[in-house]
């Protein structure tokens, strides 16, 4: 008997076939060749393993290659409907961008711009002038600098202010911010020496002061507890106290705030969350925060504060490695501009609007979505639930909401969740106690029809 592998058609014969002529008319030859070779490899392996069945015919190969070509078209990074109720979902890209900022980003991406060009003088300018005026106006800072992200801002700040010297930090703030980003390790990589003060649960101003008796402390660092809480027998030195101490001893005071709240926290139902402006008013020399947390803009690291330290950070060669791109700057500028009218910021910045959505409004939306599902044959009930601000911010804060719980029929809730996740567009929906619970807080109203379509397809047994 001859080796069945010999019955596989050769590449040249396959490519010359009419079935492949149609594919060649529409797709790059290189991609077709790539997929055809792997289809033939698989067939050869199957035949070698003695799998039953005849070798694939040219028509089978064409279908397989066509499927692979279709997969080629799916981008790796794609949109997801976020029905988790976690507003600043780090794994889903944190803050969705405001329409005005999206337009500005598209405009900046489309062509050339005055990123580093002074149009008045007709000579080279600096990318670090953009957003500065707005940031000063909105926070009361004397100076501002925008870099790639807040972790980078901290590295740049520490390296500029205290390279080769000590930085005093409370033991209660030597935390992991997320994704393996640990304050002690970052400080060491920034070229400064860590001087731990106080204890995990209690650090007093006297603990910082004592650090000056020995060593050479060049800066005080306060890290905002943005992603965890310490409860019970606790004490921490406040920003105002630390500022006074830093000024008296003539050292820098950097506050890594992270969250970057610009709005009145009461308007968002987040009492106790410090605003950037308040932190500066309390005396922090430099404050570092993210562009894509409670500010609700694109990913960026923002430094605001006194003139001299910020100017030194701008001069630091590390600044070049952390530099922000034009699309981000355009989006950030447009987002900041919205804050000139706080009412407009609240209406138009998606993260703020989502956080501020009232339970009554969410109940209405949940009921309408449930009714739309029922009309399509998917039973659904509405139950109270809780949403999170997310993004490693506002620990312990939950926002009251209502979730839509569709009946998943013969399929388990997690099987339906998997179908939702893997479909197009992808939908992320939490499962708890074998029930799906969709929180519309993080779903844009214009996504709701699409969400109904996806749910119907994923829940009903006779579709797909
Ligand atoms: C989130 C956070 C950071 C890191 O911000 P990125 O913009 O994600 O780099 C740093 N410090 C604090 C306190 C944070 O909350």
């Amino acid at each position: 008997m001859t080796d069945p592998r010999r019955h596989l058609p050769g590449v040249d014969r396959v490519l010359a076939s009419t079935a492949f002529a149609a594919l060649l008319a529409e797709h790059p030859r290189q991609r077709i060749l790539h997929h055809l070779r792997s289809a033939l490899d698989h067939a050869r392996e199957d035949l070698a393993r003695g799998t039953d069945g005849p070798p694939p015919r040219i028509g089978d190969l064409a279908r397989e290659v066509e499927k692979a070509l279709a997969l080629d078209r799916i981008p790796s990074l794609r949109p997801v409907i976020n029905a988790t109720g976690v507003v600043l979902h780090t794994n889903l890209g944190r803050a969705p961008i405001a329409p005005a900022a999206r337009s500005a980003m598209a405009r900046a991406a489309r062509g050339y711009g005055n990123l580093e060009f002074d149009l008045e003088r007709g000579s080279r300018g600096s990318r670090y002038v953009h957003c500065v005026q707005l940031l000063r106006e909105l926070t009361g800072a004397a100076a501002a600098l925008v870099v790639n992200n807040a972790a980078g801002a901290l590295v740049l700040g520490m390296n500029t202010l205290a390279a080769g010297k000590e930085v005093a930090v409370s033991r209660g703030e030597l935390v992991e911010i997320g994704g393996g980003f640990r304050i002690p390790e970052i400080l060491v990589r920034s070229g400064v020496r860590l001087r731990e003060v106080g204890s995990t649960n209690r650090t007093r101003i006297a603990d910082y002061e004592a650090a000056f008796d020995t060593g050479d402390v060049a800066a005080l660092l306060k890290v905002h507890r943005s992603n965890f809480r310490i409860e019970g027998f606790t004490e921490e030195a406040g920003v105002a106290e630390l500022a006074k101490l830093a000024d008296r001893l003539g050292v820098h005071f950097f506050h890594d705030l992270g969250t970057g709240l610009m709005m009145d926290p009461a308007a968002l139902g987040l009492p106790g969350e410090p605003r950037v402006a308040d932190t500066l008013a309390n005396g922090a020399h430099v404050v570092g925060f993210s562009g894509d947390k409670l500010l609700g803009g694109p990913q960026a690291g923002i430094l605001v504060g006194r003139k001299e330290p910020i100017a030194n950070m701008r001069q630091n060669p590390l600044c070049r490695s952390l530099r922000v791109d034009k699309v981000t700057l355009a989006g950030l500028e447009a987002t900041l501009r919205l804050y000139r009218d706080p009412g407009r910021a609240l209406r138009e910045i998606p993260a703020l609007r989502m956080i501020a959505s009232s339970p009554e409004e969410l109940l209405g939306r949940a009921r309408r979505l449930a009714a739309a599902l029922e009309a399509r044959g998917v039973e659904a009930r509405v139950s109270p639930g809780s949403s999170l601000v997310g993004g490693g911010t506002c620990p312990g804060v939950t926002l009251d909401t209502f979730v839509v719980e569709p009946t998943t029929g013969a399929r388990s809730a997690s099987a339906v969740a998997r179908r939702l996740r893997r479909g197009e567009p992808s939908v992320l929906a939490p499962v708890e106690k074998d029930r799906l619970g969709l929180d519309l807080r993080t779903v844009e109203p214009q996504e709701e029809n699409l969400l109904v379509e996806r749910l119907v397809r994923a829940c009903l047994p006779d579709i797909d």
Side-chain angles (χ1 to χ4, degrees):
M1 228 176 86
T2 56
D3 185 335
R5 281 173 286 186
R6 284 167 165 263
H7 294 301
L8 278 175
V11 169
D12 290 338
R13 188 157 75 80
V14 175
L15 287 179
S17 68
T18 41
F20 273 78
L23 291 177
L24 282 162
E26 285 198 23
H27 302 275
R29 187 185 168 85
Q30 276 305 320
R31 292 309 297 159
I32 294 179
L33 208 54
H34 169 82
H35 293 310
L36 174 59
R37 288 206 172 109
S38 55
L40 288 169
D41 284 347
H42 288 151
R44 219 168 276 124
E45 283 164 23
D46 283 349
L47 293 169
R49 252 190 272 116
T51 320
D52 288 343
R57 279 194 259 254
I58 287 181
D60 302 326
L61 291 168
R63 269 186 297 279
E64 198 173 332
V65 169
E66 196 168 8
K67 245 191 235 163
L69 288 165
L71 288 178
D72 273 355
R73 275 202 292 267
I74 301 177
S76 165
L77 189 60
R78 46 191 201 268
V80 173
I81 295 180
N82 174 10
T84 65
V86 181
V87 179
L88 302 170
H89 200 303
T90 299
N91 304 143
L92 299 183
R94 286 204 189 143
I97 307 281
R102 295 202 294 261
S103 311
M105 292 170 98
R107 219 166 28 242
R110 203 174 297 137
Y112 299 106
N114 63 336
L115 178 65
E116 290 185 352
F117 196 84
D118 186 330
L119 294 171
E120 286 299 315
R121 293 201 197 146
S123 58
R124 191 194 164 139
S126 161
R127 76 176 60 217
Y128 299 109
V129 302
H130 306 289
C131 298
V132 168
Q133 189 46 42
L134 274 161
L135 283 166
R136 288 178 49 193
E137 184 185 309
L138 296 169
T139 66
L145 175 63
V146 180
V147 294
N148 184 62
N149 64 340
L154 176 62
V155 170
L156 179 62
M158 290 296 98
N159 181 268
T160 306
L161 302 180
K165 304 211 173 102
E166 288 183 343
V167 172
V169 201
S170 161
R171 289 195 168 91
E173 295 170 6
L174 296 175
V175 299
E176 174 167 321
I177 288 161
F181 179 72
R182 293 181 169 169
I183 294 289
E185 290 165 9
I186 284 301
L187 291 186
V188 171
R189 294 294 177 114
S190 306
V192 307
R193 276 177 290 125
L194 177 63
R195 184 67 184 271
E196 300 179 20
V197 304
S199 63
T200 304
N201 59 333
R202 307 194 88 186
T203 303
R204 300 178 191 85
I205 194 73
D207 295 319
Y208 289 91
E209 206 166 354
F212 288 87
D213 295 344
T214 57
D216 56 356
V217 177
L220 305 183
L221 169 66
K222 185 168 179 62
V223 182
H224 179 46
R225 287 186 190 146
S226 47
N227 65 349
F228 72 108
R229 286 201 304 191
I230 298 182
E231 291 188 54
F233 187 57
T234 66
E235 189 171 341
E236 67 175 305
V239 172
E241 280 179 291
L242 286 166
K244 232 195 267 166
L245 180 67
D247 287 336
R248 179 154 63 76
L249 297 170
V251 297
H252 299 291
F253 173 30
F254 188 106
H255 189 15
D256 181 24
L257 186 62
T259 44
L261 178 65
M262 297 291 212
M263 290 287 290
D264 172 10
L268 296 177
L270 301 174
E273 186 60 37
R275 286 190 321 156
V276 177
D278 298 332
T279 312
L280 284 171
N282 280 332
H285 296 185
V286 177
V287 181
F289 55 96
S290 294
D292 53 351
K293 289 185 179 171
L294 291 176
L295 194 151
Q299 178 191 302
I302 301 168
L303 293 150
V304 293
R306 297 187 177 178
K307 268 211 166 75
E308 201 193 324
I310 299 267
N312 290 338
M313 290 174 202
R314 199 181 301 118
Q315 307 293 326
N316 187 330
L318 258 183
C319 187
R320 175 65 179 79
S321 326
L322 298 166
R323 87 176 183 186
V324 64
D325 81 297
K326 61 181 178 182
V327 175
T328 301
L329 275 173
L332 183 62
E333 181 181 358
T335 307
L336 291 170
R337 216 172 265 286
L338 293 171
Y339 279 98
R340 282 182 166 162
D341 174 354
R344 188 165 175 213
L346 200 53
R347 284 191 306 275
E348 295 188 22
I349 296 176
L352 302 186
R353 193 182 58 231
M354 288 170 180
I355 293 168
S357 298
S358 68
E360 297 76 44
E361 180 190 340
L362 292 163
L363 176 60
R365 288 178 62 194
R367 283 190 174 143
R368 281 192 296 278
L369 193 96
L373 288 173
E374 303 256 357
R376 300 284 298 276
V378 176
E379 273 179 56
R381 71 175 190 207
V382 173
S383 314
S386 50
S387 327
L388 293 173
V389 177
T393 72
C394 308
V397 175
T398 54
L399 308 166
D400 288 338
T401 190
F402 288 90
V403 294
V404 180
E405 303 183 331
T407 304
T408 54
R411 295 195 181 97
S412 69
S414 52
V416 170
R418 191 177 327 115
R419 287 162 72 87
L420 288 170
R421 214 172 55 233
R422 293 161 68 160
E424 179 60 38
S426 175
V427 174
L428 212 62
V431 174
E432 220 176 295
K433 296 195 188 117
D434 201 38
R435 282 197 80 86
L436 274 179
L438 298 111
D439 187 347
L440 297 182
R441 184 188 294 276
T442 46
V443 176
E444 289 286 353
Q446 61 269 27
E447 289 174 325
E448 284 176 15
N449 287 340
L450 207 51
L451 180 57
V452 169
E453 290 309 315
R454 293 284 297 111
L455 282 166
V456 169
R457 292 188 78 82
C459 292
L460 288 184
D462 50 349
I463 305 182
D464 292 357

